[in-house]
Amino acid sequence: MRIPYQKFTNKRTTLAEKLIFLVLFFLILIIFRSWFTSGLITSGDFLYFSPQMMRDTPLALYSWDSIISIVGLSQFIVPYLWIYPYLIFPQVILGKFWGLDWSLVERVSYLYPYLILMVISPLFFVRRVLPKDKPYDLFLLIFSFNTVILTWIEGGEIFLGLAYALMPAILALFILLSREASENGNKKYLYAIITGVALAVAIMIDARISYVTGMAVALYFLFSSFLNNALRSKIKMNRDFFKTFFFVGIFPCVVAGLLHAFWIIPAVVYGKNPVGLLGSAYASAKAVRYLSFAKFEQTLGLLHPNWPESIFGKVGFMKPEFLLLPLIAFASLFFIKKDTDQRRKIILIFAAIGMVGIFLAKGSNEPFGSIYIWLFTFFPGFSLFRDSSKWYPMIALSYAVLIPYTLFSFAQIISKKKLGIISKHSLILVVSLFILLWCFTIKEAVMGQLTGALEEVIIPREYKNLEKFLHKDVSYSRVLWVPTRHRFGYYSYIHPAISIETILQEYDPIVATTKLTMQQIKLEELSVKYVIVPFDSQQELFMNDRKYDKKKYQKIVALLQKIPWLKQIKGFGEIMVFENTSYNDHIWSSNKDVVYTSIDPTMYKLQLKNATKGDVIVLSEAFDSHWIMQAKHIVVQSKPYHNSLTSFTLTKNSSDNLTIFYSMQKWLVIGEIITVVSLVGIAVAIIALFLKK
Amino acid sequence: MKIQDILFIIILLLLLWKRKPEWLVGVAIFSVIIAVPLFAKWIFFTAERLTYYGFGFLLCAVVILFIQEARRK
């Protein structure tokens, strides 16, 4: 059975639709023009990986990460592993095996799929869900080219953009599934599996937007049930109800859960709130209040607070033209009274979804901001949303349905008046006027003024030289970046990167550098051999009031040059490289020579001559009680070393080889097996259901 | 509570008593239309308040429309 879809060239193609697609085409060419060249695109969280870094990337997943610290030195990385397959597989397959440069890998794996999805996904929703007698293709313009998604893309939030682009398709799949769920036959199984896979893909790309999508789906069905009189006449707990609930509510979630077993199982076994592990900057109400940048009038107007510069913290004033959007959107409520049941319900449902989005996207701002704080603290899953702007997609979805309805209803009214040529071409006139208004709201994008991930960058030669230098040093040591690693800064399993901000818990880099003068022992224990002050080529590290401040860089360099135990290494232009004259290896003991082999980031084999009871062996990784040392007759639990590192105290004399391993890794392997078996099972099921049809 | 808040509550109660969602939508749109030039002139406090009221009217309109739709045979 083929999942039917309406082709683009069907009878509904009108002049207005052609105009819409022409405008979309030109907007893509103008806004994303740099994506069609060969230059490097990198900005914000959309990182860069050099050819060497891609060659160093293993295909396997590990439950412990110390290569690039998220919080502190290193951590149990499993709760964030959902994205790793999508992050790692392109690097390994395209970069490592095929030798492609990152500028090509990123286009093939992320940028072009985004461009395709931003058209196909809304089109799928329009063709399959919305009533067929009106051309709703304006949905694509409103959903895919608003200030929210453009700000995210400009800021390098490509993964967010991909998950956002998938949102209409996933909502459509759930709606189609609900229509099939109570029917007999195998279609519902196929729809349920495909919906589950789509949900799993969305979660893999961005868990937060997937949650927003799930919330939109849940609200759709909640409002739909109410409108279908289900609640009023008391939900009939009959076979049909349970069947629908199972196929729509449970089945896809189980499929998605099985496909994500590789991180869910170890995360559940570990037993700690993954957001809580990130610290108060992520998990506190204070963080929510700080990050609630959008004001109510901005969410109402579908205006991202950082539009158009996409600079963190720089919030613009309300632009009054954006208030025309909710006027047009909610004017749809005037026209639904005499319309069909189906259209009335759709408009009401999406109006309600939009209103929920408007309220949530403002975060803790007035009115009634304390409700959001309560939700963040107590409602399951809301702790993911310290940044409330992630709720904007619900508003975009809503307006993308409501606005076309208003415009076409208005055009219909005009067409019935005797206004000559205006009546005859009312639809094209109304659509044209709206397109002009829309283009005015995103005029910075239309004029090609957006930067960030929408313009190419060039890697300074100094960073390529630094990479060669670090790669040649084959012995393990950490690199301390002051204040933090530059996006072109090399890192690897042999030379993990740490930042002074996370090590010293001090976010003022000058204060942190001043503290560094007293931290020689700490750096020694952390195996730090190199201290690097980056050349801020992208002007994003040494900032003062959101502007690049070279004096900060100069001050930090001057402070480091005065430290007697740091020796400057010249030859890297404006990148200042210092070598620490004394540092420990990755695994060390104060009174014994340790020879070790690194099997992978979660396992090390040690040879320790004449190991005696009481010997302390330190693994230079953040303390975690799941690190275990084992030999033939010894099992040693880890203990904190100086409150920060992992250490083991031998409980008896031993001349055996010792193994240090991270015990959570086995749960990751179990989860991976379940994921792979599920993937194979799903593929077989889909093929079987297609053939059966 | 400011005088405009009291005015909003009075108008809202009147419109709820009338139970005509189109009137609520109309008043909501009117509130937002008035807010537009106020934002342009940087008269933010009143402009923001008007958007809150507009949303409040809209919310009531949507709730009434939902109830009417659910009761429709």
Side-chain angles (χ1 to χ4, degrees):
Chain A
M1 194 267 314
R2 182 172 67 87
I3 297 176
Y5 65 93
Q6 296 223 10
K7 288 184 185 175
F8 172 67
T9 54
N10 67 3
K11 290 176 189 172
R12 292 176 45 212
T13 305
T14 63
L15 190 59
E17 283 179 318
K18 284 178 181 164
L19 175 65
I20 292 164
F21 280 98
L22 192 65
V23 169
L24 285 172
F25 176 72
F26 279 112
L27 283 176
I28 289 173
L29 277 186
I30 294 166
I31 296 171
F32 300 101
R33 62 190 181 283
S34 61
W35 292 11
F36 299 109
T37 60
S38 58
L40 180 65
I41 302 291
T42 177
S43 179
D45 290 342
F46 194 56
L47 302 176
Y48 165 74
F49 297 94
S50 69
Q52 187 59 56
M53 287 160 83
M54 288 194 283
R55 281 194 288 273
D56 290 341
T57 303
L59 193 56
L61 296 177
Y62 298 107
S63 53
W64 184 263
D65 171 75
S66 64
I67 194 170
I68 180 163
S69 56
I70 298 175
V71 178
L73 184 68
S74 44
Q75 59 273 312
F76 174 64
I77 197 67
V78 162
Y80 322 110
L81 268 186
W82 33 269
I83 198 174
Y84 271 46
Y86 194 31
L87 203 53
I88 285 179
F89 288 176
Q91 287 183 55
V92 172
I93 294 164
L94 300 177
K96 185 173 181 167
F97 294 153
W98 287 12
L100 300 181
D101 195 62
W102 179 249
S103 57
L104 191 53
V105 173
E106 63 182 359
R107 279 169 171 78
V108 167
S109 310
Y110 310 112
L111 303 184
Y112 294 161
Y114 170 73
L115 291 179
I116 293 168
L117 273 176
M118 69 186 268
V119 173
I120 298 292
S121 170
L123 206 57
F124 179 69
F125 179 85
V126 165
R127 295 285 188 264
R128 299 292 298 164
V129 172
L130 295 182
K132 293 176 180 24
D133 60 336
K134 286 190 169 79
Y136 271 98
D137 297 324
L138 266 179
F139 183 106
L140 280 82
L141 180 69
I142 297 166
F143 188 79
S144 299
F145 289 92
N146 56 66
T147 62
V148 176
I149 184 57
L150 291 175
T151 302
W152 285 350
I153 295 296
E154 185 185 16
E157 304 270 17
I158 307 296
F159 293 95
L160 216 59
L162 282 160
Y164 171 93
L166 265 177
M167 205 174 161
I170 291 176
L171 180 56
L173 283 170
F174 271 99
I175 294 170
L176 293 174
L177 176 58
S178 69
R179 292 175 190 169
E180 295 294 333
S182 52
E183 303 290 328
N184 293 324
N186 293 325
K187 236 187 197 179
K188 54 184 176 291
Y189 295 101
L190 184 63
Y191 272 72
I193 292 172
I194 289 171
T195 305
V197 170
L199 190 60
V201 169
I203 293 170
M204 181 182 67
I205 296 171
D206 193 280
R208 292 162 301 177
I209 299 299
S210 307
Y211 185 97
V212 173
T213 306
M215 186 62 78
V217 169
L219 287 173
Y220 178 92
F221 286 108
L222 183 67
F223 296 141
S224 180
S225 300
F226 185 85
L227 290 175
N228 289 333
N229 230 357
L231 291 178
R232 196 167 166 270
S233 60
K234 289 171 195 167
I235 298 168
K236 288 181 190 166
M237 300 287 213
N238 57 13
R239 198 161 164 251
D240 271 353
F241 169 79
F242 284 111
K243 215 169 156 183
T244 305
F245 182 74
F246 172 74
F247 278 99
V248 178
I250 308 288
F251 202 134
C253 294
V254 169
V255 169
L258 285 171
L259 291 174
H260 279 276
F262 68 93
W263 66 269
I264 290 176
I265 286 177
V268 167
V269 170
Y270 195 77
K272 288 187 183 157
N273 180 349
V275 179
L277 287 174
L278 295 171
S280 64
Y282 287 81
S284 69
K286 193 177 169 186
V288 174
R289 286 190 192 93
Y290 174 68
L291 290 172
S292 294
F293 292 126
K295 295 187 116 183
F296 182 78
E297 58 270 20
Q298 286 168 324
T299 64
L300 185 65
L302 191 56
L303 167 63
H304 194 285
N306 299 132
W307 174 260
E309 290 104 340
S310 189
I311 295 173
F312 177 79
K314 188 175 178 186
V315 178
F317 287 124
M318 180 60 192
K319 296 173 178 49
E321 62 270 21
F322 281 84
L323 285 179
L324 295 176
L325 303 182
L327 291 181
I328 300 171
F330 291 106
S332 57
L333 298 174
F334 280 130
F335 300 106
I336 59 173
K337 201 170 183 178
K338 290 176 186 172
D339 213 327
T340 63
D341 279 356
Q342 188 197 16
R343 276 198 284 272
R344 244 191 343 265
K345 282 173 183 161
I346 283 181
I347 294 302
L348 279 176
I349 289 169
F350 281 94
I353 288 174
M355 295 183 85
V356 172
I358 289 165
F359 184 80
L360 292 177
K362 65 168 180 59
S364 64
N365 289 322
E366 291 303 310
F368 307 117
S370 53
I371 294 177
Y372 192 89
I373 299 291
W374 185 90
L375 289 168
F376 179 83
T377 311
F378 298 111
F379 196 92
F382 255 75
S383 57
L384 291 170
F385 298 96
R386 63 174 186 151
D387 176 8
S388 57
S389 69
K390 302 298 185 291
W391 292 102
Y392 264 101
M394 281 170 67
I395 312 170
L397 197 63
S398 166
Y399 285 11
V401 172
L402 300 180
I403 288 175
Y405 181 85
T406 302
L407 295 176
F408 303 133
S409 303
F410 188 60
Q412 260 185 324
I413 291 172
I414 297 176
S415 69
K416 287 173 186 163
K417 307 279 181 199
K418 288 176 185 170
L419 297 170
I421 196 166
I422 294 175
S423 299
K424 195 176 173 190
H425 298 291
S426 60
L427 182 60
I428 189 74
L429 281 168
V430 165
V431 167
S432 302
L433 282 171
F434 178 77
I435 289 174
L436 280 172
L437 169 65
W438 193 261
C439 288
F440 181 72
T441 62
I442 57 167
K443 55 187 176 299
E444 292 85 354
V446 173
M447 287 160 64
Q449 292 173 351
L450 300 185
T451 57
L454 295 169
E455 65 177 4
E456 294 173 12
V457 298
I458 295 170
I459 306 170
R461 186 188 291 273
E462 293 96 315
Y463 283 102
K464 295 185 183 180
N465 293 341
L466 179 65
E467 178 175 322
K468 281 182 199 161
F469 170 77
L470 289 173
H471 184 66
K472 266 189 200 163
D473 182 353
V474 296
S475 58
Y476 179 91
S477 64
R478 283 198 170 88
V479 178
L480 175 65
W481 291 82
V482 183
T484 193
R485 189 186 72 90
H486 189 276
R487 65 178 54 254
F488 298 135
Y490 174 74
Y491 63 84
S492 66
Y493 284 102
I494 305 295
H495 296 296
I498 53 174
S499 73
I500 200 170
E501 290 172 348
T502 49
I503 294 305
L504 297 184
Q505 293 297 302
E506 174 56 63
Y507 292 95
D508 183 322
I510 292 175
V511 173
T513 311
T514 310
K515 284 184 183 177
L516 196 65
T517 55
M518 311 298 287
Q519 302 290 336
Q520 183 183 13
I521 306 262
K522 187 170 180 123
L523 292 199
E524 197 175 293
E525 291 175 351
L526 293 179
S527 315
V528 172
K529 182 178 179 183
Y530 300 108
V531 178
I532 297 180
V533 185
F535 160 46
D536 196 2
S537 56
Q538 308 310 113
Q539 298 189 354
E540 55 189 1
L541 299 176
F542 299 102
M543 307 301 282
N544 191 356
D545 197 23
R546 289 183 290 275
K547 284 185 186 151
Y548 174 65
D549 182 0
K550 190 159 186 180
K551 285 183 187 163
K552 261 190 179 171
Y553 161 84
Q554 289 166 339
K555 176 86 181 163
I556 288 169
V557 170
L559 283 169
L560 289 174
Q561 283 171 336
K562 286 181 190 163
I563 297 176
W565 41 270
L566 289 180
K567 189 181 84 181
Q568 189 166 357
I569 303 173
K570 294 198 191 280
F572 301 101
E574 287 188 60
I575 304 175
M576 297 295 151
V577 179
F578 299 85
E579 185 176 333
N580 184 8
T581 51
S582 170
Y583 65 98
N584 292 343
D585 208 333
H586 196 188
I587 303 175
W588 53 274
S589 176
S590 55
N591 58 347
K592 289 280 184 338
D593 285 331
V594 178
V595 176
Y596 71 92
T597 308
S598 171
I599 309 298
D600 62 45
T602 63
M603 187 181 285
Y604 304 89
K605 299 269 186 202
L606 278 70
Q607 288 153 20
L608 200 63
K609 283 186 184 167
N610 302 318
T612 49
K613 181 179 173 181
D615 280 345
V616 175
I617 296 153
V618 179
L619 170 65
S620 185
E621 297 287 344
F623 172 69
D624 189 300
S625 60
H626 295 93
W627 282 103
I628 311 267
M629 174 185 274
Q630 193 172 296
K632 224 179 200 174
H633 304 291
I634 302 174
V635 176
V636 182
Q637 201 67 37
S638 58
K639 284 194 300 192
Y641 180 81
H642 290 174
N643 291 325
S644 58
L645 299 181
T646 294
S647 70
F648 307 90
T649 305
L650 284 176
T651 51
K652 47 172 99 166
N653 298 349
S654 172
S655 57
D656 296 326
N657 288 340
L658 300 160
T659 302
I660 293 177
F661 65 94
Y662 190 61
S663 60
M664 290 306 300
Q665 182 66 15
K666 72 168 182 276
W667 291 105
L668 177 63
V669 172
I670 291 169
E672 282 176 324
I673 292 170
I674 295 173
T675 294
V676 169
V677 167
S678 304
L679 202 54
V680 170
I682 284 164
V684 167
I686 290 177
I687 293 168
L689 285 165
F690 263 108
L691 291 174
K692 206 169 183 177
K693 177 71 178 70
Chain B
M1 198 174 269
K2 304 244 181 250
I3 190 152
Q4 54 261 46
D5 297 335
I6 298 169
L7 207 59
F8 160 70
I9 291 170
I10 292 170
I11 295 172
L12 181 65
L13 287 172
L14 272 167
L15 290 171
L16 286 173
W17 174 67
K18 274 288 181 186
R19 277 182 226 167
K20 284 190 185 291
E22 301 83 14
W23 290 18
L24 280 158
V25 175
V27 173
I29 286 177
F30 181 70
S31 300
V32 176
I33 286 174
I34 299 178
V36 172
L38 292 177
F39 274 115
K41 295 278 184 194
W42 286 20
I43 305 170
F44 291 125
F45 181 80
T46 308
E48 282 170 6
R49 267 300 196 274
L50 282 165
T51 59
Y52 300 170
Y53 302 149
F55 189 81
F57 289 127
L58 262 176
L59 183 63
C60 294
V62 168
V63 168
I64 293 173
L65 282 166
F66 259 79
I67 294 169
Q68 287 178 348
E69 188 63 28
R71 284 180 181 165
R72 200 186 274 254
K73 287 184 184 173

